[in-house]
């Protein structure tokens, strides 16, 4: 019966069997060390028998082995215990030398080499740690939002028309006709508010993003939520705050080892996220009051303001100009130049966009016509059907998983925390 | 403060506010009834004031309203209570008449009409119930497998080469070059066993399925699992059994109302699923011993046998001929004509396929060459890298969500339990 490496320290004096990858071998004069890696971490196996030392010499790093031996206390070993008097049984043929030295704490290879060799590079504890944070965040997202009575949905990724605009959309051959990859589940999640009131979806979204930047991917994981019977976007922000808090808590509890390895502390999100109106944000940043958007420098200034004035690493900017928001955005009732939408900034960078949507059919017709589009267009037919037949005031948000994790872990490039990134230049592995 | 319809019976004597959709209106001589639908179910609102009756006459079915009134006990009302002396406030403009009568318990429209009008048809309690079962099953899947120490992964859906074969794959334009939609996460989930040992993924898979049948979709949700350090496929079957049990338990507890509405009882899966070898299965069904596959009639015969001999609605057939299994399938060690793979049948129909995979690099090279394929081909380069550098004995399975739910609910067509199905003829809504 196999035990995990992390269970070794509590088995001192017993004979145990562990299994995993040969992470590292060190041969000294009289003794060899085998560092074994499994999903729970590392362990140390001490080999003194000459024939086992010779056996180990033949088993290159990454060979999968099973080790049976006696657990002995040793304060110098990981966890304070090691395996001695061991019998090593290979579970596969000897592995070839990995393209990246996985046992070195620091990754010597550059990002392109790491990404080209992802099937093996992801085994490096520090690279793997990024995804451990992502997996924990996914768990926290679902657990929190499920607790709020949201229903999970899974909506199609192949669509008949471009979701929000014709730009940056991937086209495909669908049984001889044209189709597209969904840029977001926006229309579907709104539609499903008519069915379940509160819905969420975790799934891939696709952007034929022609820019090669550290924050854009051609395919990423979107954590979408949408819900009805709200007063305005502030209700959306309140749910988002709780969801982010749940994600952070799950990262702290489920990926503690990964955080240690990465030297990252989970930030605090205040119960009430500070909110600043877009117009005030421009003034605060010293920007032109007619600017329709915030520059990266403006966002940093607002982040600093929130930290200084409210002790918060998070801040929401509400009221973004309607001209910069999609047609389904609900205007600010007191002044329709502004919108009932917001960006949540974390450490001075945009993390999540959310807001209230239009809910009246007549408002959709007017909004589309004002943008020179026809409500009768195939792109809108099924979407508008939901509004024709009664929809409550509603809103929602979308969290980009990879960007969230990159911000949290301080990764400079979103690709560092993506399992197999897709971009302008990268389609494999 | 809004309460849900399901909370009304416990608020007798109080003034409450509810909100939802006008599900049905009935006008009698002295009184009108409003049946209100929200995400928790239906409630009855009694309207006697003539001006409120007149107001209700203007608010067509599916209009979203808020109702404030007094809760009165009434054994005839749903849940034994109803709302009286009510004030109705519309939250949107009056809704247009739905294309399908949502208030009728039985759906009069045929499936094509239902699917064409999915944004509204999904609001019908009996149609919505199918997806409630699906959402509960998803929850049960993740909860169970997470408890076994599996790590969630999210792998790319845009791939550089067809995953398993060139057939039935959707091609797309990827920044001017060719790319494809992933037919399964098979290669990626195996690769990730090298990183996390135990992984799972819930996500869309794409099949350019040219056949128009009641069980095939061009896009469906696949629940994939893969894990290492197994003895053989029986370890995979044991995990699958527990995962299916967890899914069934979650459906029973989280979708109880939906099951009632559909008249469905959750089946029992035995702790040990009966297993029969493919060769015996053929004999049992009276089929030619040289047949490489089971016919639907054979599967029914085996299902009947399992029910008769083992009292089980589930049965696993192991040892499927290698010639009918993908190249990565592990042969049966005692006789390599057969494989260490299985199908799990439910009520005489295939529900899940799983098995042990090859894990030695040299075995992959041999298996590909035996099929006339080059291990150096771009399709296999990154995949085989994982095996070159050490992989444990491993295996896994994939559950098709829509098919699972269709079998469970007795839906004749998998489209009945898919939110927005995609097939040869259907790309919208």
């Amino acid at each position: 019966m196999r035990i995990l490496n992390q269970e070794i320290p509590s088995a001192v004096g017993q004979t145990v069997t562990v299994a995993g990858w040969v992470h590292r071998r060190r041969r000294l004069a009289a003794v060899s060390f085998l560092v074994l890696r499994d999903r729970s971490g590392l362990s140390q196996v001490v080999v003194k028998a000459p024939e086992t030392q010779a056996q180990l010499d033949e088993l290159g790093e990454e060979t999968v082995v099973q080790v049976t031996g006696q657990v002995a206390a040793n304060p110098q070993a990981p966890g304070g215990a090691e395996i001695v008097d061991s019998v090593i049984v290979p579970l596969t043929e000897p592995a070839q030398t990995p393209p990246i030295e996985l046992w070195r704490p620091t990754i010597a290879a550059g990002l392109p080499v790491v990404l080209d060799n992802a099937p093996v590079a992801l085994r490096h504890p520090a690279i793997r740690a990024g995804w451990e944070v992502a997996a924990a965040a996914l768990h926290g997202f679902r657990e929190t939002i499920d607790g709020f009575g949201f229903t999970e949905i899974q909506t199609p990724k192949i669509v008949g028309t471009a979701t929000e605009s014709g730009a940056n959309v991937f086209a495909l051959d669908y049984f001889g006709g044209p189709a597209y990859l969904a840029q977001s589940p926006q229309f579907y999640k709104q539609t499903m508010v008519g069915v379940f009131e509160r819905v969420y979806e975790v799934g891939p979204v696709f952007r034929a993003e022609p820019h090669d930047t550290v924050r854009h991917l051609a395919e990423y994981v979107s954590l979408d939520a949408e819900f009805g019977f709200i007063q305005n976007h502030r209700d959306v922000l309140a749910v988002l705050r709780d969801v982010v808090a749940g994600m952070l808590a799950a990262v702290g509890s489920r990926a503690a080892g990964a955080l240690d390895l990465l030297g990252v502390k989970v930030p605090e999100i205040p119960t009430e996220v500070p909110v600043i109106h877009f117009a005030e944000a421009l003034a605060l940043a010293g920007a032109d009051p007619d600017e329709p958007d915030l520059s990266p420098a403006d966002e940093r200034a607002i982040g600093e303001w929130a930290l200084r004035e409210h002790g918060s690493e998070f801040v929401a900017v509400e009221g973004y100009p309607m001209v910069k928001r999609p047609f389904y955005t609900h205007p600010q009732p007191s002044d329709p130049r502004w919108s009932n939408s917001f960006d949540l900034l974390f450490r001075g960078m945009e993390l999540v966009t959310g807001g209230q949507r239009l809910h009246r059919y007549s408002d959709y017709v007017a909004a589309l016509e004002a943008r020179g589009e026809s409500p009768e267009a195939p792109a809108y037919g099924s979407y508008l059907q939901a509004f024709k037949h009664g929809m409550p005031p509603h809103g929602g948000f979308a969290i980009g998983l990879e960007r969230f994790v990159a911000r949290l872990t301080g990764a400079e490039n979103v690709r560092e925390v993506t399992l197999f990134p897709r971009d302008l230049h990268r389609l494999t592995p």
Side-chain angles (χ1 to χ4, degrees), chain A residues 79-103:
Chain A
E82 63 192 7
I83 295 180
V84 297
D85 295 334
S86 52
V87 175
I88 299 173
V89 179
L91 296 181
T92 55
E93 58 204 357
Q96 297 181 28
T97 305
I100 290 167
E101 287 180 312
L102 298 174
W103 57 269

Side-chain angles (χ1 to χ4, degrees), chain A residues 7 35 120 209 289 307 326 399:
Chain A
E7 300 172 281
V35 178
V120 178
E209 177 59 62
L307 192 61
I399 304 172

Side-chain angles (χ1 to χ4, degrees), chain A residues 180-267:
Chain A
Y180 307 92
L181 291 182
Q183 294 172 291
S184 92
Q186 182 65 33
F187 288 9
Y188 288 109
K189 70 176 180 173
Q190 286 186 259
T191 298
M192 293 306 293
V193 166
V195 180
F196 291 115
E197 292 187 26
R198 303 178 164 201
V199 295
Y200 72 95
E201 177 164 10
V202 173
V205 297
F206 306 91
R207 307 277 167 103
E209 177 59 62
H211 304 296
D212 193 5
T213 80
V214 297
R215 55 195 274 186
H216 287 101
L217 294 170
E219 174 177 352
Y220 67 88
V221 178
S222 184
L223 282 53
D224 271 274
E226 197 79 14
F227 61 109
F229 300 99
I230 62 171
Q231 294 300 314
N232 55 42
H233 62 290
R234 289 290 188 101
D235 290 340
V236 178
L237 179 60
V239 168
L240 172 61
R241 183 268 155 202
D242 289 350
V243 164
V244 170
M247 293 170 74
L248 295 175
V251 169
S253 61
R254 294 171 65 96
L259 292 175
D260 278 352
L261 202 63
L262 298 170
V264 171
K265 275 194 67 171
V266 174

